[in-house]
Amino acid sequence: MDTLPSLDEIESAAALVRAAMPPTPQYPWPLLARRLGAEVWVKHENHTPTGAFKVRGGLVYLDGLARREPGCPGIVSATRGNHGQSLAFAARRVGVPVTIVVPCGNSVEKNAAMRAFGAELVEHGEDFQDASEHAARLAAERGLHRVPSFHRDLVRGVATYWLELFRAVPDLELAFVPIGLGSGLCGALAAREALGARVRIVGVVSAHAPAYARSIAAGRPVDAPVSTRIADGMACRVADPTALSLMIGRVDEVIEVDDDEVERAMKALYVDTHNVAEGAGAASLAAAMRLARERPDAVRGRRVGVTLCGGNVDHDAFARVLLDTALD
């Protein structure tokens, strides 16, 4: 994959997604506007059937797989949660068994959701990279199709939500996009290019999982340790080389946010919009809040887009954030 999906490719993916779910809403929330000094549009990917944006990519990938490999005995992949839910949801629609590998100590509630969608769950390793390597071994041992964490069909699917947002708010000036393994950011970049939009796109990484920030800066993959306590959807230790090649030269800026900033954004989203966000789901707002604080002229008076890309946070963790986090 050396090019981003075209408009025709994204439109065909959108038709597949619409067969399973309606477009998600985007709203300009006035209390967030007051907080940032800007018009703030939130794209509510927490309102999908799995509570996160990745279901779009799963639907497109499984549709293609069903046509390419009609006798596929099953799929296997690794995840911290939302990718696994998306595959389980989509695999059920096409009748393909799914095995998902998660690291030990993964989110209890994300694990429960994956099982509820029909996945066989395997816990292995200390982090996502360990789980991914074990998924590769299971694929070889069991003769399963291994679904990667980054693939053109996943990007095509994810790009559909950015297409919805950029068409609904065509004069958006600034968009903040969390980076996990890369499909979210590449989807945003693809939709911008497909529409010829002029929106500035800012990638967001966890300061406690900075592999993509370091890799983009270096122009090559740079591994980095992971220590985030809250942003598990961004807990990437190794950048995907293909995703990285598509980001370099296209993403306008990358901002790192720490766990405290992410937790403040989680609370701000609840206080200002009464929506629940997981850590990665609040990261784009965390970056917008940081930019508004450190470089106010970059945000003030502008039309800003943030993605609430997932709301799948364990209730104990969310309760702690609400009780222990102070807002400015």
Side-chain angles (χ1 to χ4, degrees), residues 72-155:
C72 179
I75 63 172
V76 62
S77 193
T79 188
R80 292 301 301 261
N82 290 335
H83 177 61
Q85 288 186 66
S86 81
L87 293 178
F89 177 86
R92 174 182 283 181
R93 290 175 62 85
V94 296
V96 174
V98 56
T99 301
I100 299 296
V101 185
V102 300
C104 296
N106 196 53
S107 162
V108 172
E109 292 173 28
K110 285 183 179 178
N111 287 355
M114 285 183 277
R115 290 189 177 103
F117 281 123
E120 174 192 345
L121 206 71
V122 176
E123 297 184 71
H124 181 90
E126 296 183 358
D127 61 12
F128 171 80
Q129 191 63 30
D130 288 343
S132 180
E133 292 166 3
H134 189 62
R137 289 191 292 271
L138 288 180
E141 292 169 4
R142 301 182 183 181
L144 302 175
H145 174 93
R146 187 189 177 199
V147 181
S149 298
F150 187 85
H151 185 275
R152 189 179 193 88
D153 283 349
L154 298 176
V155 175

